[in-house]
């Protein structure tokens, strides 16, 4: 049930955020601006205390549900990982140690860059901004082309529901950055799930630190667990050490795959 709720809420938010970036006709109501406000880096830059407090409480209560369901870049990685499993039926994940030094080094570099006014690095690694750049530079022109195709078809029948849009680029450099981001993060997700979230993403590092103290968390029932490793094989964050019955909560993104995979009911999400 938890996994289904996570997938349902993730897809709804992912589609709405994507449409928000694609919308060119003002079809979506102004209330959709809230999708930006609930993202960590935009909320931080806008000093949106209410949104920051909400995300803080949410993480301390439930863990990294932001990374699991709210962040569009996280959902993008899940979609790519899901597609990769259609090609590799026997694909399995495995436990790996946390790249702690790398994670905190990247976060430290982002903070220093922000303090000295070098906002390029912040914009480059902000997962929400990076996803928005991917959509507006790569997918939006394709969206316009599809719209123009429908316009040419409908107007032949005197139906003017669609109108022609000019397809234009938004800069070669930013488009290349968007393409590199799309391919780079996509490849990491294809090969090993949430690698970007748990090695590079500064938001993942911050929320990962907070989630170590969350009230609700996935735990082993040691009386039922036989260390079969099914949970670790399904963990796209590579954070479950089934042999030692340990979970690295700083990397767990609350996907609940492990709970569904366990056929002995030995994985539970409890206080």
């Amino acid at each position: 049930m938890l996994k289904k709720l996570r997938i349902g809420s993730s897809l709804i938010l992912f589609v709405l955020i994507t449409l928000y970036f694609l919308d060119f006709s003002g079809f979506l109501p102004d209330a959709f601006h809230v999708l930006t406000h609930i993202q960590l880096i935009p909320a931080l830059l806008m000093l949106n205390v209410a949104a920051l407090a909400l995300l803080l409480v949410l993480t301390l209560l439930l863990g990294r549900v932001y990374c699991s369901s709210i962040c569009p870049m996280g959902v993008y990685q899940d979609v790519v990982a899901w597609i990769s499993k259609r090609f590799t039926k026997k694909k399995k994940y495995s436990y790996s140690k946390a790249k702690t030094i790398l994670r905190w080094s990247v976060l430290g570099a982002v903070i220093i860059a922000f303090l000295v006014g070098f906002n390029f690095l912040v914009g480059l690694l902000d997962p929400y901004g990076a996803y928005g750049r991917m959509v507006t530079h790569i997918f939006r022109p394709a969206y316009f082309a599809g719209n123009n195709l429908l316009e040419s078809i409908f107007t032949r029948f005197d139906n003017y529901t669609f109108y022609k849009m000019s397809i234009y680029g938004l800069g070669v450099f930013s488009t290349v950055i968007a393409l590199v981001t799309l391919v780079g993060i996509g490849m990491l997700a294809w090969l090993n799930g949430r690698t970007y979230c748990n090695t590079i993403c500064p938001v993942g590092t911050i929320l990962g630190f907070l989630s170590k103290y969350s009230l609700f968390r996935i735990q082993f029932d040691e009386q039922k667990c036989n260390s079969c490793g099914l949970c670790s094989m399904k963990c796209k964050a590579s954070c479950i050490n089934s042999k030692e019955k340990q979970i690295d909560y700083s990397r767990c993104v609350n996907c609940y795959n492990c709970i569904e995979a366990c056929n002995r009911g030995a994985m539970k999400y409890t206080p």
Side-chain angles (χ1 to χ4, degrees):
M1 176 61 79
L2 285 173
K3 182 179 178 180
K4 291 180 179 178
L5 288 173
R6 190 263 305 172
I7 292 175
S9 59
S10 300
L11 289 177
I12 290 172
L13 284 172
F14 182 69
V15 169
L16 291 177
I17 291 171
T18 303
L19 288 176
Y20 176 72
F21 282 116
L22 291 176
D23 184 37
F24 62 88
S25 60
F27 173 77
L28 299 177
D30 292 338
F32 272 66
H33 285 293
V34 73
L35 296 173
T36 300
H37 299 162
I38 61 174
Q39 303 296 325
L40 183 60
I41 297 298
L44 187 62
L45 294 176
M46 293 185 293
L47 297 178
N48 189 332
V49 178
L52 291 173
L54 174 63
L55 294 175
L56 175 64
V57 172
L58 195 64
T59 303
L60 290 176
L61 182 63
L62 303 176
R64 285 177 63 179
V65 292
Y66 171 89
C67 300
S68 179
S69 301
I70 300 175
C71 176
M73 186 63 82
V75 183
Y76 164 69
Q77 293 172 81
D78 289 347
V79 171
V80 172
W82 179 82
I83 294 174
S84 72
K85 288 186 177 182
R86 308 283 77 78
F87 288 87
T88 310
K89 297 292 184 181
K90 296 182 180 180
K91 183 175 181 179
K92 299 176 182 177
Y93 298 113
S94 59
Y95 172 75
S96 63
K97 292 184 179 180
K99 307 296 189 296
T100 306
I101 296 177
L102 176 59
R103 296 170 71 187
W104 286 99
S105 297
V106 172
L107 176 61
V110 169
I111 293 174
I112 293 172
F114 176 73
L115 292 176
V116 300
F118 184 62
N119 293 327
F120 172 77
L121 189 60
V122 180
L124 181 67
L125 297 181
D126 167 28
Y128 180 73
Y131 180 76
R133 189 162 49 246
M134 284 163 43
V135 175
T136 55
H137 287 73
I138 300 173
F139 297 123
R140 199 176 188 188
Y143 184 70
F144 281 6
N147 172 83
N148 292 347
L149 177 61
L150 291 174
E151 184 270 340
S152 64
I153 294 174
F154 275 61
T155 51
R156 292 178 183 177
F157 299 95
D158 295 325
N159 186 316
Y160 300 98
T161 302
F162 298 90
Y163 56 91
K164 195 169 185 177
M165 293 294 301
S166 298
I167 301 175
Y168 54 88
L170 296 175
V172 176
F173 180 73
S174 55
T175 300
V176 170
I177 292 294
L179 186 59
V180 170
T181 302
L182 175 74
V183 175
I185 296 179
M187 285 299 297
L188 290 175
W190 185 282
L191 295 173
N192 203 32
R194 289 296 193 100
T195 302
Y196 175 79
C197 293
N198 288 326
T199 55
I200 301 173
C201 179
V203 173
T205 301
I206 294 172
L207 297 182
F209 173 76
L210 294 174
S211 68
K212 291 193 296 184
Y213 308 99
S214 63
L215 176 61
F216 283 85
R217 58 181 66 181
I218 298 171
Q219 301 176 65
F220 282 96
D221 185 333
E222 296 194 8
Q223 294 182 342
K224 295 181 180 180
C225 178
N226 63 354
S227 300
C228 68
L230 283 175
C231 54
S232 183
M233 294 176 189
K234 295 294 183 179
C235 178
K236 59 193 176 189
S238 301
C239 68
I240 299 179
N241 186 344
S242 58
K243 293 182 179 180
E244 302 294 332
K245 296 185 177 65
Q246 295 178 347
I247 299 174
D248 182 354
Y249 293 109
S250 73
R251 290 185 290 157
C252 176
V253 293
N254 290 67
C255 67
Y256 311 117
N257 288 352
C258 56
I259 296 177
E260 184 178 85
C262 183
N263 52 26
R264 297 174 64 89
M267 304 292 292
K268 295 182 179 180
Y269 183 60
T270 59

